[in-house]
Amino acid sequence: MTENTQQQPASNPELPTQYAPAQVEGKLYERWVERGYFEADAKSEKPAYTIVIPPPNVTGSLHMGHAFEHTLIDALTRRKRMQGYETLWQPGMDHAGIATQNVVERELAKEGKSRHDLGREEFVERVWQWKAQSGGQIQGQMRRLGEGVAWNRDRFTMDEGLSRAVQTVFKKMYDEGLIYRAERIINWCPRCLTAISDIEVDYQDDDGELVSLKYGDGDETLVVATTRAETMLGDTAVAVHPDDERYAHLIGRRIKLPLTDRTIPVVADTHVDPEFGTGAVKVTPAHDPNDFSIGQRHGLESIEVLDERGVITVHGPFQGLDRFEARSAIVAALRAEGRIVAEKRPYTHSVGHCSRCRTTLEPRVSLQWWVNVAPLAKEAGDAVRDGRVAIHPADMTQRYYDWVDNMHDWCISRQLWWGHRIPVWHGPDGRMVAVGPDEEPPSGEGWSQDPDVLDTWFSSGLWPFSTLGWPERTPDLEKFYSTDVLVTGYDLMFFWVARMMMFGLYTMDGQPPFRTVAFHGMVRDEFGKKMSKSAGNTVNPLDWMDTYGSDAVRFTLARGANPGTDVPIGEDWVQASRNFANKIWNATRFALMNGATVKGELPPAERLSAADRWILSRLNKTVADVDAYYDDYQFAKLSDALYHFAWDEVFDWYVELSKTTYFEGGEQAKVSARVLGEVLDVTLRLLHPVVPFVTETLWTTLTGGESLVTADWPGDSGFRDEAAEREIELVQRVVTEVRRFRSDQGLQPGQKVPARLDLAGTALAPHEPAIRQLLRLQPEGEGFSATATLPVAGATVALDLSGTIDVGAERKRLAKDLAAAEKEKAQAQAKLGNEAFLAKAPDPVVEKIRKRLAHAEDEIARITAQLGALPVA
């Protein structure tokens, strides 16, 4: 049992008859912020607890995925704050390079302009203006959800402090050879006109064509197959496997490349699979990553035939054609020359698309900036292997290893104007100088800054320490780094998590950016489908907040959050959560009206009724369970435990069991009122991190305390009373069985029925008044006739149903149901006894029939018991 240290409530506290979220939530949140509850002090002697927000894009608004993730983080930080930690939930937003530039360019297009009309400096200023106008939208939505972030610490990935961190890290890595510039094959978006990294490519199956082409003539003929005929203009070889005897005579010779005046060599390379297709492949080093590698091994020329917009650049009849137009034209020209051996349409194959604009990407040789990830990735893997960082759920760990152990060098340059411009100056004779934040760049003739900007994930990879003031050794950095847990979607494991690990370990002397990574799944619609605008199944969480309240949305999301798995969500579930909030409200209001209080010490166990001891025992078990679930990031389980304890055990059972005590008055009523106050106090505290608004309103009314945000988290006193739990379980069995019988007989829940209860010699005897109240059972009275007798839990409940049901009709109905159940049982037994059927039927079918048999047997037992309870007609 917990000691109450809060202020006492005002006399006769009152609550409105109904809970109206819209009238409560906004005012409460602003009060929390004004009182500074969410701020964090680096000078505090309390232990620190830190979570950084996965920074939402400045272009965005609060979608359901944000609401889901933020609810989980808010629950964790609210609980830790109540546990006495100096809690920092670090907010901020990401500048989102490509996405933001695209948005502003679309706005310019409405004016008939492009960024080139403005020039770089003016365009960047235009983006800053857009950010100032639109960037606050998501902050307002976060407030609506009730997020306890430290708003006074809000950061942006391009603010002055974070820009300083980016320059510092870049220069350090450049000087140590971890950042370099090289010409390599990259993923190029002809729409965004920039390189993108491998993990920003979305692959999907597209319908294309597979065309087999004949290269060379006579004895020097080879057939190759391609889905991208337009790139054959840039072929500089045909490759075969060195052990493929079919082509041994051609290795080292040159053959004619169709539609051109060039000849190309036949090279031998072990990359070629002799069993696939014809065993010969065209090699286009400038436009294919595998071909690029072959070209490097064999010193092949790299000929670009597509420009940055995907337009053919080589001289000839195809020059100026878009890549897809050129594909058809080139196939037609080859067909005219008799070079087409086979065509397959449609040919479904995996094609890379830009994750931002959905444009089909082009592999393209380009001079870019790269990070040598090998030593950084090794450290990122070691930090998990040696236990400095835990991944939750654990089955995600191998997925993480598979990525960091096989990571390719990271292309960090983007051909954009919005973003952190690469801090390198190029000078005469190919000289390059990386410039730190406190250094003057070289000046004079021939010196200019690199035009590219850094990949957005470069700056967001520094987020856990750059937001705390690094590169300076600030008090915030000393207090709040390493952060405690990162809560993020499993889809960001490669984009963000691994990069934060690499940067954090590299920059912070082996201190990881977080001690735990808690991965969650994606929010899906109620049918388990991915939410998307094209599918028409997206939901604006603000709409649901307007209709049902923020607590209802939060509780629905938390209750579906099983670690690492996707979360289906539908409006029916939010309605159910709204009903739960209303149940909390109504039950607390009833309790207050009947004297529930937190005043004074809790009476000793010997003065408590069995119901009092039972609920306190269950309460402390729930505290222990909820703590364990929080520590294991089991949000669904902790929410479910709280739901069933609050609704089922407190409101549906304890409050109902206590009503007779309240009605009788006296000393025991005062004791139960104090117990109920204690139970509500602790229950509201437990619920607060997930449903903060309704619990705050109720708790401050109940206790007179200042705020649940800063109240103590309840502890498990260890109080258990197994005897009381067994005793109340007997009461529940009696009430549940008799209620089921009443329902089966068609009686209304409020319909009163004369009854005789034989409870002598059982633990149920003291509870007869409560049992009668719960079951609407009247005293026997004169002329009582036991027309139905129910033996349950060692007791007997005799009911007089005369005048309430037609016994004969009820027997006929039950007999019909019994016959149907016995028929179902016989059919299932016949199938399960058929060896031939069992040998052929799939396992799921057999299992389904076994379940049908079990259900039929349960029905037979239930109906037989009901028939036995009815009087003889």
Side-chain angles (χ1 to χ4, degrees):
M1 291 175 280
T2 60
E3 180 182 352
N4 186 279
T5 59
Q6 303 300 322
Q7 302 175 30
Q8 301 310 315
S11 59
N12 300 318
E14 294 183 359
L15 290 167
T17 56
Q18 291 184 327
Y19 177 51
Q23 298 175 18
V24 171
E25 294 176 350
K27 294 176 183 177
L28 263 187
Y29 187 82
E30 291 309 314
R31 185 188 309 161
W32 292 334
V33 173
E34 288 168 5
R35 293 180 178 179
Y37 291 153
F38 305 138
E39 296 175 11
D41 183 3
K43 297 178 182 179
S44 170
E45 295 183 359
K46 297 178 183 178
Y49 184 80
T50 315
I51 294 180
V52 294
I53 195 171
N57 289 350
V58 69
T59 58
S61 60
L62 191 72
H63 58 63
M64 197 60 75
H66 287 130
F68 172 57
E69 184 171 81
H70 293 190
T71 293
L72 305 187
I73 298 174
D74 198 44
L76 290 173
T77 52
R78 283 180 180 270
R79 171 177 175 257
K80 284 296 182 180
R81 191 177 291 112
M82 294 173 74
Q83 287 182 317
Y85 286 80
E86 192 64 27
T87 302
L88 169 60
W89 181 7
Q90 173 65 54
M93 287 186 291
D94 193 285
H95 66 279
I98 294 177
T100 304
Q101 179 156 320
N102 281 347
V103 168
V104 178
E105 286 196 86
R106 284 196 295 270
E107 293 297 314
L108 283 175
K110 295 176 183 177
E111 304 172 16
K113 297 179 181 179
S114 73
R115 61 179 162 129
H116 300 286
D117 294 321
L118 274 63
R120 183 168 194 147
E121 188 172 327
E122 188 177 343
F123 175 78
V124 171
E125 178 59 32
R126 182 72 171 259
V127 181
W128 277 109
Q129 292 172 8
W130 178 89
K131 186 262 180 186
Q133 295 169 0
S134 303
Q137 178 183 2
I138 201 165
Q139 295 180 348
Q141 294 166 335
M142 289 168 64
R143 290 171 180 265
R144 281 289 311 278
L145 194 64
E147 299 180 31
V149 301
W151 287 117
N152 62 322
R153 295 169 172 269
D154 195 30
R155 303 304 298 270
F156 180 57
T157 51
M158 281 186 62
D159 67 27
E160 183 178 352
L162 271 67
S163 295
R164 180 178 179 84
V166 167
Q167 293 173 40
T168 302
V169 168
F170 187 98
K171 178 172 173 56
K172 175 178 169 63
M173 296 179 72
Y174 177 85
D175 290 346
E176 294 178 4
L178 291 171
I179 289 179
Y180 63 94
R181 195 175 187 228
E183 189 175 71
R184 292 187 179 176
I185 200 93
I186 48 91
N187 303 294
W188 182 266
C189 178
R191 158 62 184 79
C192 298
L193 299 179
T194 183
I196 65 173
S197 66
D198 291 345
I199 56 176
E200 292 173 300
V201 180
D202 285 345
Y203 288 94
Q204 65 183 50
D205 288 340
D206 287 357
D207 284 341
E209 61 182 4
L210 181 66
V211 182
S212 297
L213 314 175
K214 184 169 64 174
Y215 284 19
D217 296 298
D219 293 338
E220 297 179 348
T221 297
L222 283 169
V223 174
V224 299
T226 182
T227 58
R228 304 173 69 225
E230 68 278 8
T231 64
M232 59 87 57
L233 299 175
D235 286 358
T236 55
V238 173
V240 298
H241 194 277
D243 298 331
D244 194 334
E245 296 181 357
R246 294 172 296 175
Y247 306 118
H249 66 290
L250 291 177
I251 294 173
R253 297 173 68 174
R254 302 184 71 85
I255 61 175
K256 179 76 168 57
L257 179 65
L259 306 182
T260 73
D261 57 2
R262 293 191 292 117
T263 61
I264 56 177
V266 178
V267 299
D269 197 284
T270 54
H271 170 76
V272 180
D273 181 359
E275 303 298 323
F276 183 77
T278 64
V281 297
K282 60 191 288 296
V283 181
T284 321
H287 296 285
D288 185 273
N290 292 323
D291 295 2
F292 180 79
S293 299
I294 293 174
Q296 286 191 315
R297 287 194 290 272
H298 296 276
L300 300 175
E301 184 182 4
S302 183
I303 301 175
E304 290 187 50
V305 298
L306 292 167
D307 69 7
E308 61 182 10
R309 296 183 183 276
V311 174
I312 297 292
T313 59
V314 292
H315 295 291
F318 312 110
Q319 186 175 10
L321 292 180
D322 171 80
R323 52 186 168 157
F324 301 117
E325 296 173 333
R327 182 175 299 171
S328 299
I330 287 172
V331 170
L334 290 166
R335 189 183 297 111
E337 286 193 4
R339 294 283 179 177
I340 301 294
V341 176
E343 298 177 71
K344 184 177 181 180
R345 295 188 186 87
Y347 178 73
T348 302
H349 61 130
S350 182
V351 178
H353 294 260
C354 175
S355 62
R356 298 295 180 186
C357 69
R358 315 310 307 161
T359 300
T360 300
L361 297 172
E362 279 294 333
R364 186 168 184 250
V365 169
S366 182
L367 184 62
Q368 302 286 342
W369 289 95
W370 303 82
V371 171
N372 173 16
V373 300
L376 306 175
K378 181 182 183 302
E379 287 298 314
D382 290 346
V384 175
R385 289 185 170 96
D386 64 25
R388 279 175 288 167
V389 178
I391 290 179
H392 187 87
D395 58 12
M396 289 281 182
T397 306
Q398 188 56 51
R399 192 171 174 182
Y400 174 81
Y401 290 149
D402 290 343
W403 175 251
V404 297
D405 292 347
N406 298 284
M407 195 181 296
H408 299 296
D409 281 5
W410 172 20
C411 177
I412 56 172
S413 47
R414 299 291 181 268
Q415 288 64 56
L416 304 171
W417 288 355
W418 173 246
H420 292 280
R421 194 165 175 181
I422 288 176
V424 170
W425 267 253
H426 300 272
D429 304 320
R431 284 182 290 168
M432 292 188 296
V433 177
V435 178
D438 297 320
E439 300 174 347
E440 287 293 326
S443 58
E445 186 177 351
W447 285 98
S448 63
Q449 187 175 359
D450 195 285
D452 290 351
V453 301
L454 288 165
D455 178 11
T456 297
W457 297 103
F458 191 99
S459 54
S460 59
L462 314 181
W463 189 249
F465 52 91
S466 64
T467 52
L468 297 174
W470 189 91
E472 273 63 57
R473 299 299 299 192
T474 64
D476 285 342
L477 195 67
E478 296 291 338
K479 178 73 173 179
F480 296 112
Y481 188 91
S482 300
T483 68
D484 287 84
V485 59
L486 175 73
V487 179
T488 190
Y490 59 70
D491 59 322
L492 290 183
M493 181 184 291
F494 315 131
F495 284 99
W496 192 42
V497 176
R499 285 163 179 174
M500 283 191 290
M501 286 283 281
M502 292 192 298
F503 280 136
L505 293 162
Y506 169 73
T507 304
M508 301 299 294
D509 301 320
Q511 277 186 279
F514 23 75
R515 299 181 181 93
T516 299
V517 184
F519 285 115
H520 60 71
M522 304 296 103
V523 179
R524 297 182 178 271
D525 71 11
E526 59 189 307
F527 305 107
K529 294 181 179 179
K530 182 179 179 180
M531 287 188 174
S532 68
K533 291 181 180 179
S534 60
N537 62 347
T538 57
V539 176
N540 184 344
L542 293 177
D543 293 340
W544 281 354
M545 288 184 220
D546 289 341
T547 305
Y548 304 108
S550 297
D551 283 333
V553 174
R554 289 171 61 112
F555 192 73
T556 303
L557 291 166
R559 201 175 180 193
N562 290 297
T565 59
D566 291 344
V567 183
I569 183 171
E571 189 165 3
D572 288 350
W573 305 334
V574 187
Q575 291 175 353
S577 295
R578 186 269 315 274
N579 295 343
F580 179 50
N582 288 342
K583 183 77 170 181
I584 300 170
W585 182 272
N586 293 333
T588 305
R589 184 171 178 271
F590 167 84
L592 289 169
M593 291 171 61
N594 284 277
T597 181
V598 295
K599 185 177 180 179
E601 294 297 320
L602 209 58
E606 57 268 20
R607 291 182 56 198
L608 303 179
S609 69
D612 294 336
R613 297 194 307 276
W614 165 75
I615 196 62
L616 290 172
S617 184
R618 296 298 305 150
L619 174 67
N620 281 288
K621 173 66 164 56
T622 301
V623 170
D625 288 345
V626 168
D627 275 332
Y629 290 141
Y630 262 116
D631 292 342
D632 199 33
Y633 306 100
Q634 297 278 0
F635 296 98
K637 289 183 178 180
L638 72 89
S639 299
D640 215 45
L642 286 169
Y643 177 90
H644 288 295
F645 174 72
W647 191 308
D648 299 345
E649 297 187 296
V650 178
F651 304 143
D652 277 0
W653 283 107
Y654 180 68
V655 169
E656 293 298 320
L657 286 168
S658 302
K659 279 183 178 179
T660 52
T661 303
Y662 294 140
F663 296 156
E664 291 170 359
E667 188 61 29
Q668 192 57 47
K670 294 179 181 178
V671 170
S672 292
R674 178 63 186 91
V675 171
L676 181 55
E678 178 78 7
V679 171
L680 288 174
D681 176 14
V682 175
T683 302
L684 292 171
R685 295 184 202 218
L686 290 173
L687 282 164
H688 177 72
V690 181
V691 284
F693 294 109
V694 66
T695 52
E696 174 86 340
T697 305
L698 295 173
W699 185 84
T700 53
T701 303
L702 170 71
T703 69
E706 179 185 333
S707 174
L708 262 178
V709 180
T710 54
D712 292 336
W713 181 254
D716 174 14
S717 69
F719 175 80
R720 300 288 191 278
D721 192 324
E722 294 182 2
E725 290 197 37
R726 288 193 298 269
E727 188 171 325
I728 299 303
E729 284 172 9
L730 290 177
V731 175
Q732 291 173 320
R733 280 180 57 193
V734 170
V735 173
T736 301
E737 288 298 321
V738 176
R739 277 178 175 167
R740 183 181 293 120
F741 179 78
R742 286 175 55 113
S743 176
D744 288 339
Q745 308 312 312
L747 298 179
Q748 295 300 314
Q751 187 173 349
K752 294 182 178 180
V753 177
R756 180 174 62 241
L757 274 62
D758 183 4
L759 310 178
T762 74
L764 294 165
H767 302 285
E768 180 168 346
I771 293 172
R772 285 187 175 276
Q773 171 68 25
L774 289 167
L775 290 171
R776 306 294 189 267
L777 301 180
Q778 295 177 316
E780 303 172 36
E782 292 185 15
F784 175 82
S785 174
T787 58
T789 303
L790 298 171
V792 57
T796 302
V797 179
L799 305 174
D800 185 354
L801 301 179
S802 58
T804 60
I805 64 169
D806 184 334
V807 176
E810 183 62 16
R811 277 193 170 278
K812 287 182 180 179
R813 184 185 71 80
L814 290 173
K816 182 179 179 181
D817 291 345
L818 180 61
E822 288 175 338
K823 181 179 178 181
E824 176 73 6
K825 175 183 176 181
Q827 290 175 341
Q829 286 178 327
K831 286 189 175 182
L832 294 174
N834 187 333
E835 294 297 334
F837 169 78
L838 294 176
K840 295 179 180 179
D843 290 343
V845 173
V846 175
E847 182 60 27
K848 185 176 180 180
I849 294 171
R850 288 198 178 103
K851 289 180 179 179
R852 282 171 51 192
L853 175 60
H855 177 70
E857 289 174 338
D858 289 343
E859 282 293 283
I860 291 169
R862 181 183 67 83
I863 296 167
T864 301
Q866 289 182 30
L867 283 167
L870 289 174
V872 178

